[in-house]
Amino acid sequence: MELWNDMKLQINQQTYDVDVAEDTPLLWVIRDNLGLTGTKYGCGLAQCGACSVLVDGEVVRSCVMPAVSAVGKQITTIEAIEQDDVGKRVVQAWVNHQVPQCGYCQSGQVMAATALLKATPNPSRDEITAAISNLCRCGTYNAIDAAIDELAKPVGGNA
Amino acid sequence: MKPLTEHELAELAQETPINVSRRNFLLSSAGVAAGALVLSVGIPLRQARAAAATKMAPGTRVPAFLQITPDNRIILQSPFVEGGQGIFTAMAQIVGEELDAEPARFIVENAPTGADYQVMVGGPGRMTGGSMSVRTSYQTMRKLGALARQLMLQAAANQWQVPLSELITEPGIVLHKTSNRTLSYGELASKALDLPVPDPDSVSLKDPQAFRWIGKGIDRVDVYEKSVGKANYTIDLKVDGMLHAAVQHAPRLGLVAGDILNLKQVQAMPGVHSVHKVTGAVAVVAPHWWDAKRAAEALQVDWQAATSQRQGVRSMPADFSSEAFSEMLANRTEAGKDAETAGDISKVFSAATPESIISATYQTQYVHHAQLEPPSTIAQFHDDGRLEIWLPNQAPDMFLRDIAKRAGIAEDQIILHSPILGGFFGRHFLYPDANPYPQAIELAKATGKPIKLIWSREEEFLRDPLRPMAAVRMKAAIENGVPTALEVISACEGPGEAISGHDPDNVDGMAVEGLTGKSYQIANVRIAQDYVENPTMLAYWRSVGNSMNDFVYECFFDEMADKAGADPYELRKALLKDNPRLSHLLETVVKSAGGWKRGPFTAADGSKRARGIAMASPFGSHTATIAEVSIEQGQVKVHEIWEAIDPGTIVNPAIIEAQVKSAVALGLSQVLLEEVIYQQGEPLARNYDMYPILPPHMMPKVHVSIVESGEKMGGIGEPGLPPVPPAVVNAVSHLLGRRIRRMPLSRETFA
Ligand code: FES
Ligand code: FES
């Protein structure tokens, strides 16, 4: 196992230098080395989506992405979600619809919804279903749907 | 939350803060800044104060529960832990109502251990479970709010030198109308909370007619933090100088670690600090968890049979198969022990013609809690020998006792923190060998460092204690269109007896609840348990025995209806006609579904669908559900669920609706997908890939109706679950024209 010294990661518009073993998933660099614990660990196997972050605007399950492969890319975690216009609207909709229960999956849900709406501002129901597969053991799916449906509706004329 | 000022940060950084309460407040209000960072604060002031002070009835020592900041934020110590069920909000609502303070001003935390927080009337003191929180503490917590309000009034009367009787409150303030003066609670708090607490009997509670917040669907207090990743669970916390740990559990309980064949290589792996044998596992300690986990997985351990058995821990046989066990249960013929009887079934059965008798055997399965937050513990020994510990738990004082025993130190030398839970569903009770804290304590002792131990999902699924399975033999006599006798014998082990020990003279009520406690008018009934010990570790799971038993009973009910030539809804209605509460509930769910139609019918999208109906009466509440299903690509698709709940009296309808939907999701997950399968003594699935839980695309639209009958308050978190599996299976069986008697439905491919 190689140790990677001085890996430079661009997270939330900041540059971080980290020393980690080269197979370390991005998730554990974010949580352990950098203390950004809003991104959660649920399965470590790309099954649940709790670890979702944005890498160059695309939603990624950070538990299976080696940190090395994120070098040179723009990473956004839940901590900076409100600095993004779409992310801010997503959070607002989450509050309006009172989505979270235990909350553990919700960072990932918000990231996945933000990524979808950034790429496709007015997704259809099928597009939403295809894009968002994050698990929620508390079963907040109806509330998530309601929040995303609200956001997916064209607003005024400038949709 | 606003960032902390320099001054506040300095205050936080102090080694021994003068004002611990203030510091706790800063920590909680700092959100993300402090959230990820846990400072060792020593015994919280209120805890020390409470311990030193004279004995008072639980729930009456106001300063142990409430702090109010100068800027009018109210910090409430909740006796119940938040895990998604909305209890922090309900507590703010109940206390706020009587205190006359807006629930939105509250910051709610899980209270420390101690006698003050043992508020459950007629319950086990303090724990979060059994859908009991609000119903066992409602009056006490209201009284607490009323006492606090009285203190505010008294402090204002003292300050203004006016008679207390001239004062009134409005949300967050005391008002002297005649002189037009006001003082906010924040201004009064420091004086008010030092006043002696009045006799609880001297203050009266509000007339419910005048409630401002109780009964309303107010917003939950923690939704924003949870939407932006600022809520902190045990797994997110950190203490100075801490090391991380990961384990490789013994593949089967009852094995202990012998030689570690590649010890040298593992010790030399990157980042590894040390390797340790601990209870039931080998652990690797490292500065980073990933390094610890990678190394723990690489360990080659010679697992050997233990020479002695730890108390409460079962040895898993090397050849155990859950499928074979279930078949064995299904083939039993023992009569079992009576749990509930009425009339004389043997008389009816022996007089009945063979054609009038039906019988069937139903099978239920082991399931996982599968809460999304994997278990973890932080253990830290202080220089003075005290142990500070953070762990997910549903019963702080019970854990405290156990930790004291294991660590060999007095309870008052332990500071136990109980952070919010990333889901629980019964997972975080005291189960032998199913929690990381004993290992974390051992590692903290061995290394002399604070340790944070996280169980990976794989190690969690190996040790998660299971919801029991059962095989239930049903037999009924149907005469003149109604069931005249019903016998139910469940071959199973209940979670209660599995955890606390089997009592050969009694039936574990939790083994048979949902078979017992039914309200249908059937004159001759025998419900029995045929106890069979399991080799697995068993646990409580959301709605406990009801989660499996209502499936069995309510599905067989439809078989009885079919035999009687009756519609299953009509037969339920007929057998409940003398029960106005349940009759009304049944009507409510039928009405919300636009009337009863069983089908099969063709839906607008061309699919062939059917509906099923079922009822349950768990945890003091009553529920009724209708499910609409079709078969798509060989699997069951649930299109819609209508559920009506009558919890008697309600505190927050929005939370009730959210909890019912949540329970529906878990019920669907169980009936459609979930089953823990053991082969050769090990679980087949170690992660969500092989143990699927309900994904978003399988969630139907759920319509919730709340009936407030005004009866005694029942539970909220669990009652929504039990009628869901039978409503689905009744619909599926009708659609297929053959009976399904086993969960999950994914066991079969349907034509
Ligand atoms: S933790 Fe990454 S998908 Fe579950
Ligand atoms: S809110 Fe608990 S897992 Fe989604």
Side-chain angles (χ1 to χ4, degrees):
Chain A
M1 195 61 52
E2 293 293 310
L3 192 72
W4 183 298
N5 287 314
D6 218 20
M7 183 187 291
K8 286 202 190 334
L9 290 172
Q10 298 286 329
I11 304 181
N12 303 337
Q13 318 280 354
Q14 249 179 283
T15 306
Y16 292 90
D17 277 325
V18 289
D19 300 340
V20 289
E22 63 169 14
D23 69 336
T24 307
L26 181 60
L27 171 66
W28 294 102
V29 174
I30 291 172
R31 285 183 58 84
D32 258 15
N33 296 64
L34 307 178
L36 299 171
T37 53
T39 306
K40 303 301 184 195
Y41 164 63
C43 68
L45 208 62
Q47 294 292 312
C48 72
C51 62
S52 301
V53 298
L54 305 187
V55 176
D56 283 348
E58 302 259 329
V59 67
V60 158
R61 297 198 165 175
S62 65
C63 66
V64 291
M65 181 187 220
V68 219
S69 50
V71 171
K73 302 190 170 151
Q74 292 295 330
I75 302 159
T76 307
T77 70
I78 188 74
E79 280 81 3
I81 198 65
E82 286 187 289
Q83 282 148 39
D84 180 281
D85 285 347
V86 175
K88 205 175 164 72
R89 283 175 57 224
V90 171
V91 169
Q92 194 49 53
W94 248 239
V95 172
N96 289 347
H97 291 273
Q98 296 279 293
V99 173
Q101 291 194 14
C102 85
Y104 197 76
C105 72
Q106 298 295 341
S107 299
Q109 306 279 7
V110 167
M111 297 313 285
T114 302
L116 168 67
L117 292 163
K118 282 172 84 75
T120 316
N122 308 119
S124 66
R125 213 16 27 240
D126 286 348
E127 285 172 314
I128 296 169
T129 306
I132 300 186
S133 58
N134 296 38
L135 299 176
C136 174
R137 188 56 161 170
C138 300
T140 62
Y141 300 132
N142 278 186
I144 289 173
D145 285 347
I148 297 180
D149 284 347
E150 178 197 303
L151 295 163
K153 270 203 299 267
V155 191
N158 50 5
Chain B
M1 298 259 177
K2 70 174 171 60
L4 296 179
T5 63
E6 290 275 27
H7 176 71
E8 287 169 328
L9 279 169
E11 225 182 297
L12 269 178
Q14 275 180 38
E15 222 24 76
T16 43
I18 304 138
N19 185 339
V20 179
S21 313
R22 168 82 181 140
R23 177 174 167 145
N24 283 349
F25 163 64
L26 289 176
L27 277 171
S28 30
S29 59
V32 73
L37 166 85
V38 173
L39 300 168
S40 292
V41 294
I43 297 180
L45 185 59
R46 55 179 176 271
Q47 212 178 345
R49 193 196 265 160
T54 49
K55 214 169 147 50
M56 289 175 73
T60 60
R61 195 189 311 276
V62 177
F65 287 85
L66 284 167
Q67 297 163 258
I68 303 178
T69 64
D71 64 345
N72 295 301
R73 274 192 280 185
I74 301 166
I75 302 151
L76 172 67
Q77 300 301 314
S78 166
F80 306 101
V81 67
E82 178 62 53
Q85 80 281 43
I87 193 63
F88 278 6
T89 304
M91 288 290 123
Q93 221 170 338
I94 295 165
V95 174
E97 184 71 62
E98 298 287 347
L99 169 60
D100 205 359
E102 212 185 317
R105 306 293 311 175
F106 279 66
I107 296 166
V108 188
E109 298 171 347
N110 195 10
T113 52
D116 282 319
Y117 309 105
Q118 312 278 322
V119 296
M120 298 173 82
V121 174
R126 178 183 179 191
M127 62 106 168
T128 307
S131 297
M132 290 205 283
S133 302
V134 172
R135 51 191 175 124
T136 56
S137 73
Y138 184 54
Q139 297 300 338
T140 307
M141 296 310 284
R142 282 179 68 191
K143 188 65 99 171
L144 177 81
L147 288 168
R149 176 174 173 272
Q150 194 68 20
L151 293 177
M152 296 298 154
L153 288 167
Q154 189 60 57
N158 296 352
Q159 184 157 337
W160 288 327
Q161 294 294 309
V162 297
L164 194 147
S165 59
E166 289 178 10
L167 302 178
I168 58 164
T169 60
E170 276 179 12
I173 57 172
V174 179
L175 208 75
H176 187 231
K177 273 247 164 88
T178 39
S179 65
N180 210 7
R181 280 179 295 182
T182 64
L183 280 168
S184 74
Y185 286 179
E187 292 170 299
L188 290 165
S190 63
K191 294 242 170 54
L193 294 178
D194 278 341
L195 293 171
V197 178
D199 175 3
D201 293 334
S202 70
V203 299
S204 49
L205 298 177
K206 260 183 163 174
D207 176 356
Q209 296 298 323
F211 282 166
R212 203 188 276 264
W213 296 293
I214 291 179
K216 304 237 161 63
I218 61 161
D219 284 359
R220 274 172 277 136
V221 294
D222 50 6
V223 160
Y224 172 74
E225 280 74 13
K226 287 176 174 175
S227 302
V228 293
K230 287 184 183 170
N232 285 286
Y233 308 82
T234 304
I235 201 168
D236 299 324
L237 305 177
K238 145 174 171 197
V239 299
D240 278 350
M242 142 187 128
L243 292 174
H244 291 261
V247 292
Q248 181 186 125
H249 282 130
R252 287 178 278 117
L253 280 179
L255 298 181
V256 292
D259 289 344
I260 299 168
L261 308 172
N262 58 347
L263 180 62
K264 287 249 143 46
Q265 289 94 308
V266 171
Q267 283 167 333
M269 283 175 76
V272 169
H273 172 280
S274 50
V275 179
H276 307 261
K277 290 182 187 174
V278 292
T279 304
V282 178
V284 177
V285 173
H288 294 293
W289 189 74
W290 179 257
D291 294 331
K293 179 191 183 251
R294 185 204 301 109
E297 278 173 358
L299 288 163
Q300 291 167 13
V301 183
D302 177 19
W303 296 104
Q304 299 177 338
T307 46
S308 64
Q309 218 174 337
R310 286 192 308 288
Q311 207 205 334
V313 180
R314 296 172 171 182
S315 292
M316 167 60 63
D319 61 351
F320 178 68
S321 146
S322 51
E323 188 66 27
F325 193 74
S326 182
E327 285 312 306
M328 181 274 288
L329 292 180
N331 290 323
R332 283 176 70 92
T333 52
E334 282 74 0
K337 196 168 276 123
D338 289 359
E340 190 181 281
T341 56
D344 186 346
I345 52 156
S346 44
K347 209 156 105 197
V348 180
F349 282 134
S350 49
T353 61
E355 303 77 57
S356 65
I357 291 178
I358 55 166
S359 59
T361 300
Y362 280 74
Q363 282 160 285
T364 53
Q365 76 278 41
Y366 289 140
V367 293
H368 274 311
H369 296 92
Q371 79 294 345
L372 214 53
E373 180 197 7
S376 62
T377 296
I378 299 175
Q380 174 176 34
F381 283 97
H382 291 285
D383 292 341
D384 59 7
R386 285 182 308 156
L387 170 63
E388 193 162 1
I389 193 159
W390 290 257
L391 75 167
N393 74 83
Q394 296 177 238
D397 298 272
M398 293 181 209
F399 278 73
L400 181 72
R401 278 195 291 281
D402 188 68
I403 289 166
K405 220 167 62 198
R406 284 172 192 280
I409 50 183
E411 284 178 28
D412 62 4
Q413 296 299 299
I414 298 168
I415 305 148
L416 180 130
H417 304 269
S418 310
I420 60 167
L421 306 171
F424 56 121
F425 321 113
R427 174 65 183 88
H428 295 302
F429 282 114
L430 207 58
Y431 302 119
D433 271 28
N435 300 303
Y437 67 86
Q439 299 167 345
I441 293 170
E442 291 170 47
L443 291 169
K445 265 191 186 159
T447 57
K449 301 268 190 196
I451 292 287
K452 176 170 165 183
L453 168 61
I454 303 172
W455 281 2
S456 67
R457 175 60 56 191
E458 288 78 10
E459 298 305 315
E460 160 66 353
F461 272 9
L462 189 56
R463 283 292 171 274
D464 178 34
L466 309 172
R467 196 284 305 273
M469 66 154 83
V472 190
R473 280 163 278 145
M474 314 288 294
K475 183 177 169 189
I478 314 294
E479 295 164 308
N480 305 320
V482 289
T484 50
L486 172 66
E487 182 174 45
V488 180
I489 304 168
S490 177
C492 69
E493 178 176 23
E497 59 198 347
I499 295 158
S500 313
H502 173 61
D503 172 359
D505 298 326
N506 279 302
V507 169
D508 179 0
M510 287 185 262
V512 289
E513 60 186 4
L515 301 169
T516 58
K518 287 289 185 178
S519 299
Y520 303 116
Q521 259 181 20
I522 302 174
N524 305 284
V525 174
R526 176 176 187 261
I527 314 291
Q529 183 197 9
D530 168 22
Y531 169 78
V532 184
E533 191 182 339
N534 286 230
T536 43
M537 302 293 289
L538 302 178
Y540 310 112
W541 192 83
R542 194 172 190 171
S543 78
V544 196
N546 300 277
S547 67
M548 55 190 200
N549 289 330
D550 282 294
F551 156 72
V552 173
Y553 190 108
E554 291 286 313
C555 285
F556 190 70
F557 190 100
D558 273 33
E559 294 200 48
M560 296 195 295
D562 285 349
K563 179 80 184 173
D567 175 89
Y569 157 63
E570 295 294 343
L571 185 63
R572 282 180 174 82
K573 196 162 125 180
L575 297 186
L576 291 171
K577 69 177 189 314
D578 296 332
N579 187 325
R581 189 177 180 188
L582 291 185
S583 298
H584 177 62
L585 186 71
L586 190 60
E587 287 320 300
T588 304
V589 77
V590 166
K591 210 193 278 162
S592 94
W596 171 244
K597 57 168 176 181
R598 196 182 186 194
F601 55 90
T602 305
D605 66 358
S607 61
K608 199 174 142 208
R609 301 186 185 182
R611 290 185 180 180
I613 191 165
M615 302 181 79
S617 298
F619 304 96
S621 291
H622 302 276
T623 43
T625 297
I626 292 174
E628 181 173 314
V629 310
S630 68
I631 307 289
E632 279 182 21
Q633 286 153 3
Q635 290 300 312
V636 172
K637 179 163 173 72
V638 180
H639 296 272
E640 257 169 306
I641 294 278
W642 294 266
E643 178 148 346
I645 181 167
D646 176 358
T649 307
I650 71 176
V651 171
N652 186 324
I655 289 179
I656 295 175
E657 183 173 339
Q659 279 302 292
V660 169
K661 288 182 172 174
S662 170
V664 166
L666 202 58
L668 287 174
S669 197
Q670 177 193 194
V671 68
L672 296 176
L673 298 171
E674 291 187 38
E675 177 169 29
V676 176
I677 298 168
Y678 267 75
Q679 288 176 357
Q680 256 93 56
E682 291 183 36
L684 213 57
R686 300 285 293 271
N687 209 318
Y688 295 114
D689 54 344
M690 300 282 284
Y691 186 88
I693 62 171
L694 194 80
H697 74 267
M698 290 179 79
M699 181 76 179
K701 193 132 193 62
V702 182
H703 314 267
V704 180
S705 314
I706 301 170
V707 176
E708 191 171 9
S709 60
E711 301 277 341
K712 191 161 171 252
M713 189 182 283
I716 291 302
E718 297 169 279
L721 193 153
V724 173
V728 169
V729 173
N730 281 337
V732 172
S733 293
H734 185 59
L735 190 60
L736 295 172
R738 69 180 168 92
R739 279 283 146 197
I740 307 293
R741 301 192 178 99
R742 193 163 182 183
M743 297 189 284
L745 295 173
S746 57
R747 291 177 64 92
E748 278 189 65
T749 303
F750 302 101

